[in-house]
Amino acid sequence: MLAIYFFCAVAAMFAGSFWIDHLYKLPDAPLSFPEKIFSRGKFRKILLTIIFFSAIIFCAEMSTIQAVRTLTAIFFLALIMMTDFEQYVIFNKMLIPFAIASLPFVVVCNFSFVNHLAAAFFGGGIFVILMVLSKNGLGGGDVKLIFVLGLWLGVEGLISVILSGTILAGFSALILLLTKIKNRHDVFAYGPYFCISACGFLLFDFKIF
């Protein structure tokens, strides 16, 4: 069974990595390090394989619909995590299908549309305000990511993800500043930390409150 899980993880890795490479090659791709695509992505396939393989194992005990929902979300979250770490960009071409994919699960899992729409618009609205106040310290991609996570997680889940993601991002930024890998004027990718927190919520129902 583990061999099948590994095969599925590798297949998902190749599909996801191919998609990322395709988006990087688009003429209007807003890459921050276009000359460093290879060097900044050299561990991508290994990391994606580990993420997908681990997720499949953790989902093995879930019901079929819960496992499909969780693995679908983690597939998108892992790819968004990679592009934001590698090039500080979250592609609309990933966010749109990620958002659309949430809708069937809201119906099948008998979730409240009102709750999930409220989470999306309320969370996205707050992050728009934060983006303005931070003078674009937060990017538009982060705002749209929070909107989509609201569609997937609902109010309670989104609040947990925002709080835990903010703590993770702050802790990581502090380490990078103390080790002088970055200074306070450098660009910092927040999206991956919300993705990591969302994966934790989906896999383990992790809540910070």
Side-chain angles (χ1 to χ4, degrees), residues 1 9 24 71 118 122 130 133 135 137 152 154 163 174 176 179 197 200:
M1 189 61 71
Y24 283 174
L71 291 173
F122 183 70
L130 291 175
L133 293 177
K135 297 180 180 178
W152 275 90
L163 291 177
L174 179 61
L176 292 173
T179 55
S197 297

Side-chain angles (χ1 to χ4, degrees), residues 35-208:
E35 74 287 355
K36 296 181 179 180
I37 289 176
F38 175 77
S39 62
R40 293 184 67 87
K42 61 184 176 180
F43 298 115
R44 183 203 305 157
K45 291 181 178 178
I46 295 173
L47 291 173
L48 286 178
T49 301
I50 292 171
I51 292 169
F52 294 147
F53 183 62
S54 301
I56 292 170
I57 290 175
F58 282 118
C59 288
E61 301 301 319
M62 296 180 181
S63 66
T64 301
I65 187 61
Q66 186 182 9
V68 172
R69 175 178 179 265
T70 300
L71 291 173
T72 299
I74 288 176
F75 176 76
F76 283 101
L77 289 168
L79 301 190
I80 291 168
M81 197 187 314
M82 292 299 125
T83 63
D84 207 11
F85 266 137
E86 292 176 14
Q87 293 292 333
Y88 295 166
V89 60
I90 300 177
F91 289 96
N92 289 335
K93 286 180 171 23
M94 281 185 179
L95 288 172
I96 292 172
F98 187 25
I100 293 172
S102 71
L103 302 179
F105 294 109
V106 173
V107 176
V108 173
C109 298
N110 200 28
F111 294 145
S112 167
F113 261 114
V114 173
N115 180 287
H116 285 243
L117 284 174
F121 283 101
F122 183 70
I126 288 177
F127 268 65
V128 168
I129 295 172
L130 291 175
M131 181 177 69
V132 173
L133 293 177
S134 67
K135 297 180 180 178
N136 293 320
L138 280 171
D142 297 313
V143 173
K144 288 176 276 191
L145 174 61
I146 293 299
F147 178 91
V148 177
L149 288 178
L151 292 177
W152 275 90
L153 304 176
V155 173
E156 182 181 4
L158 184 64
I159 292 173
S160 289
V161 166
I162 289 175
L163 291 177
S164 55
T166 301
I167 292 171
L168 280 174
F171 183 70
S172 177
L174 179 61
I175 291 175
L176 292 173
L177 289 172
L178 291 176
T179 55
K180 297 184 179 180
I181 294 174
K182 285 184 176 290
N183 63 59
R184 61 191 184 89
H185 299 295
D186 287 337
V187 176
F188 185 78
Y190 291 93
Y193 302 96
F194 296 122
C195 291
I196 292 169
S197 297
C199 289
F201 182 86
L202 289 163
L203 288 170
F204 311 112
D205 196 25
F206 173 76
K207 299 173 183 177
I208 199 170

